[in-house]
């Protein structure tokens, strides 16, 4: 296949790495974003996301003129839509909002010609790819020999470039020919397998992957609360249960954070509320786990204060939404620490991946373990994995919610 010109719409965590990767693979890439600040900075080779290797690829792409960034869509052969799809809370459930996908579709409509590929990568409710087709028809676009497909991103933040190249991809076309054409395009820069399916299956596949994790984590979190009542170490329980060849339970923690696993299940619920009972319950259990953690710490701290007549010093270890990253978005660890702080408890935090926080005092790990009355290990950052007998601890209470301490 001849190298095509590609327009990437939305230059965030997925769009930008995709754009720089394509540009470094010989494509002429046009990056489009509605945020003028992002456009201006990218043209100056300044990044607005934290992601390894993207910086280097951006510099090369811009210097060689293979990537041009602007706030205007230009005529290309391939359009990849990577815009956000937020979820808005309505009567206690989250409803997906695909307004940005609609706006992106309208922006490319005037440029579509015979032979073009239109690819949707944003996480979307089932039926969104078809909506793109319907909208383009409404806008008067001739879709004969135009190929539309859904191809969800499946990358892990922190490892995006590698996973964009190596992960298997699902391509769900609105027609067999669309699946085939779009698969051939991805095969030019993806080393993983490319699996062809229909658009609706591809859309639900992305939501299924993240819901699977949410449900499995909810099971682990539920077990952790049951084990607490029974006086059983949940981490050991899961370890020995997972020795069964067909059992693979995930890990309990302080709840599910980030902007994918805790949100995407709602995209399924909003499609079929009646039949998504387990998915809804899993969301409920994972949300409840955070409250349970807060209550446990508070109960101990209140008893301490009554017994000793002073407020205990509580150190929260980890604020990020998962281990070894600096991302605090939708972090349940942060929620635990901030709630304790807001409710008047004496809280400090240790977060080796950030240098300051607007609300919480950051202290060193050593300070925390030598000078706190209560230690709450909220995130299993590599710095927090320690053997209790080897550390100098005051007679301190330790809540290890993520199995960081080795016995
Ligand atoms: N977590 C647990 N227990 C576990 C595993 C995770 O409590 O056993 C928690 C983490 O601490 C974190 C949350 O779940 O708070 C989510 O972490 P994650 O590593 O599972 O997921 P994300 O949000 O970083 O990335 C996910 C990935 N999806 C899957 O692994 C199925 C990634 O591949 C997706 O591309 C991304 O969501 C996305 O954009 O959808």
């Amino acid at each position: 296949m001849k190298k095509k010109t590609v327009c990437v719409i939305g230059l965030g965590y997925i769009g930008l790495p995709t754009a720089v990767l394509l540009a470094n693979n010989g494509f002429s890439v046009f990056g489009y974003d509605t945020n003028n600040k992002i456009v201006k900075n990218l043209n100056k080779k300044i990044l607005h996301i934290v992601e390894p290797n993207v910086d280097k690829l951006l510099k090369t792409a811009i210097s060689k003129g293979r990537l041009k960034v602007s706030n205007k869509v230009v005529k290309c052969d391939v359009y990849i839509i990577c815009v956000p799809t937020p979820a808005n809370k309505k009567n206690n459930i989250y409803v997906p909002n695909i307004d940005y996908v609609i706006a992106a579709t309208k922006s490319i409509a005037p440029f579509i010609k015979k032979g073009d590929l239109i690819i949707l990568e944003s996480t979307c409710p089932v039926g969104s790819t078809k909506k793109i087709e319907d909208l383009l028809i409404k806008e008067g676009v001739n879709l004969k020999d135009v190929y539309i497909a859904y191809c969800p991103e499946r990358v892990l933040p922190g490892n995006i470039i590698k996973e964009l190249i190596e992960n298997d991809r699902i391509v769900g076309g609105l027609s067999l020919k669309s699946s085939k054409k779009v698969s051939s395009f991805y095969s030019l820069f993806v080393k993983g397998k490319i699996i062809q399916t229909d658009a609706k299956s591809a859309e639900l596949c992305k939501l299924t992957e993240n819901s699977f994790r949410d449900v499995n984590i909810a099971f682990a979190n539920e077990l952790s609360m049951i084990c607490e009542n029974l006086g059983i170490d949940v981490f050991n329980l899961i370890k020995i249960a997972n020795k069964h060849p067909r059992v693979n339970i995930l890990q309990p923690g302080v709840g599910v954070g980030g902007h994918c696993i805790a949100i995407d299940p709602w995209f399924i619920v909003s499609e079929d509320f009646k039949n998504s009972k387990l998915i809804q319950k899993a969301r409920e259990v994972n949300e409840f786990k955070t409250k349970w953690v807060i209550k446990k710490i508070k109960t101990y701290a209140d008893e301490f204060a009554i017994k000793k007549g002073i407020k205990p010093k509580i150190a929260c270890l980890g604020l990020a939404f998962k281990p070894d990253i600096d991302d605090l978005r939708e972090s349940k660890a942060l929620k635990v620490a901030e709630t304790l702080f807001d409710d008047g408890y004496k809280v400090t935090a240790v977060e080796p991946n950030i240098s300051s926080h607007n609300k919480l005092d950051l202290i060193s790990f050593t300070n925390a373990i030598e000078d706190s009355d209560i230690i709450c290990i909220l995130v299993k950052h590599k710095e927090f994995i320690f053997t209790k007998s080897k550390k100098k601890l005051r007679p301190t209470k330790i809540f290890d919610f993520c199995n960081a301490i080795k016995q």
Side-chain angles (χ1 to χ4, degrees):
M1 190 194 265
K2 192 180 133 272
K3 288 266 164 104
K4 293 171 173 286
T5 54
V6 184
C7 178
V8 179
I9 300 120
L11 298 173
Y13 269 91
I14 302 302
L16 183 62
T18 305
V20 297
L21 182 67
L22 287 166
N24 281 271
N25 270 275
F27 292 93
S28 284
V29 183
F30 296 86
Y32 164 75
D33 204 289
T34 49
N35 183 323
N36 287 331
K37 198 170 160 209
I38 289 177
V39 169
K40 226 168 154 185
N41 281 340
L42 288 176
N43 278 315
K44 286 194 226 151
K45 303 175 200 157
I46 301 170
L47 267 189
H48 60 284
I49 62 168
V50 185
E51 180 59 38
N53 303 321
V54 174
D55 197 21
K56 215 173 79 199
L57 292 175
L58 173 73
K59 283 187 179 127
T60 316
I62 299 272
S63 304
K64 291 196 173 161
R66 313 249 13 135
L67 171 65
K68 295 196 171 76
V69 178
S70 88
N71 58 3
K72 285 192 180 64
V73 172
V74 295
K75 194 172 186 172
C76 282
D77 306 315
V78 181
Y79 299 88
I80 308 181
I81 301 175
C82 303
V83 294
T85 44
N88 305 331
K89 202 169 181 180
K90 265 191 205 154
N91 309 324
N92 269 344
I93 75 160
Y94 288 85
V95 180
N97 170 350
I98 62 162
D99 288 355
Y100 295 121
V101 174
I102 303 291
T105 306
K106 283 185 180 161
S107 70
I108 63 173
F111 304 101
I112 305 298
K113 59 183 188 320
K114 208 172 157 184
D116 283 356
L117 310 184
I118 302 170
I119 303 162
L120 177 59
E121 285 208 8
S122 313
T123 303
C124 277
V126 176
S128 301
T129 314
K130 180 74 178 75
K131 278 195 181 142
I132 290 183
E133 183 183 62
D134 295 345
L135 182 62
L136 289 172
I137 292 169
K138 214 171 125 199
E139 296 277 311
V141 180
N142 179 1
L143 291 181
K144 190 170 160 19
D145 297 325
V146 171
Y147 306 100
I148 307 176
Y150 183 68
C151 179
E153 58 82 14
R154 298 170 126 179
V155 291
L156 205 63
N159 201 26
I160 294 182
I161 294 294
K162 186 164 179 278
E163 294 209 355
L164 277 179
I165 300 167
E166 291 179 5
N167 288 0
D168 293 347
R169 296 297 293 250
I170 309 281
V171 173
L174 286 178
S175 65
L176 280 177
K177 205 164 173 195
S178 295
S179 299
K180 225 171 123 199
K181 291 267 186 191
V182 172
S183 294
S184 314
F185 167 68
Y186 277 98
S187 69
L188 298 174
F189 62 98
V190 169
K191 287 191 187 144
K193 285 197 200 88
I194 297 164
I195 298 122
Q196 295 179 31
T197 183
D198 59 282
K200 277 163 77 176
S201 300
E203 288 160 345
L204 188 58
C205 185
K206 166 73 188 179
L207 303 176
T208 300
E209 291 159 12
N210 283 351
S211 297
F212 167 81
R213 274 178 84 76
D214 198 44
V215 170
N216 196 327
I217 298 167
F219 182 61
N221 278 331
E222 185 161 292
L223 281 176
S224 73
M225 296 181 277
I226 294 170
C227 280
E228 177 80 14
N229 282 344
L230 295 175
I232 292 168
D233 174 356
V234 67
F235 296 103
N236 183 51
L237 174 84
I238 290 174
K239 191 170 138 200
I240 57 181
N242 282 348
K243 297 281 182 211
H244 184 291
R246 285 168 298 280
V247 172
N248 184 17
I249 307 166
L250 291 178
Q251 295 297 305
V254 297
V256 174
H259 29 103
C260 308
I261 308 275
I263 302 292
D264 298 356
W266 289 113
F267 285 39
I268 299 182
V269 174
S270 69
E271 288 295 320
D272 191 343
F273 187 83
K274 225 171 110 203
N275 290 306
S276 55
K277 292 189 187 75
L278 178 64
I279 297 172
Q280 293 176 50
K281 250 307 168 229
R283 277 285 70 242
E284 201 183 296
V285 170
N286 284 331
E287 287 297 310
F288 178 73
K289 181 66 194 286
T290 311
K291 293 190 184 122
W292 183 89
V293 165
I294 294 169
K295 191 163 175 223
K296 223 169 137 53
I297 302 169
K298 280 185 174 178
T299 305
Y300 184 86
D302 293 346
E303 280 168 9
F304 181 105
I306 291 167
K307 231 192 294 172
K308 310 234 164 151
I310 48 157
K311 278 188 182 181
K313 291 187 206 165
I314 306 174
C316 290
L317 271 51
L319 296 177
F321 87 81
K322 65 178 193 175
D324 305 323
I325 57 164
D326 63 353
D327 196 338
L328 304 188
R329 286 176 297 174
E330 310 299 326
S331 167
K332 299 301 177 200
L334 180 66
K335 187 165 183 192
V336 171
E338 287 193 327
T339 305
L340 293 170
F341 178 86
D342 291 343
D343 292 348
Y345 291 84
K346 217 170 161 186
V347 182
T348 54
V350 184
E351 180 45 77
N353 302 298
I354 60 171
S355 51
S356 64
H357 189 264
N358 56 9
K359 191 181 256 186
L360 301 159
D361 267 347
L362 296 186
I363 60 168
S364 72
F365 177 49
T366 312
N367 269 356
I369 59 170
E370 283 174 358
D371 189 36
S372 305
D373 303 302
I374 304 173
I375 290 172
C376 310
I377 313 181
L378 306 177
V379 188
K380 197 176 180 177
H381 287 319
K382 58 182 186 305
E383 293 85 352
F384 302 156
I385 301 172
F386 68 95
T387 308
K388 207 167 152 189
S389 58
K390 291 194 181 145
K391 286 278 171 198
K392 213 172 97 198
L393 292 164
R394 296 198 319 163
T396 298
K397 171 75 182 168
I398 302 180
F399 288 110
D400 182 6
F401 294 109
C402 51
N403 200 25
I405 302 173
K406 291 199 202 109
Q407 294 309 326

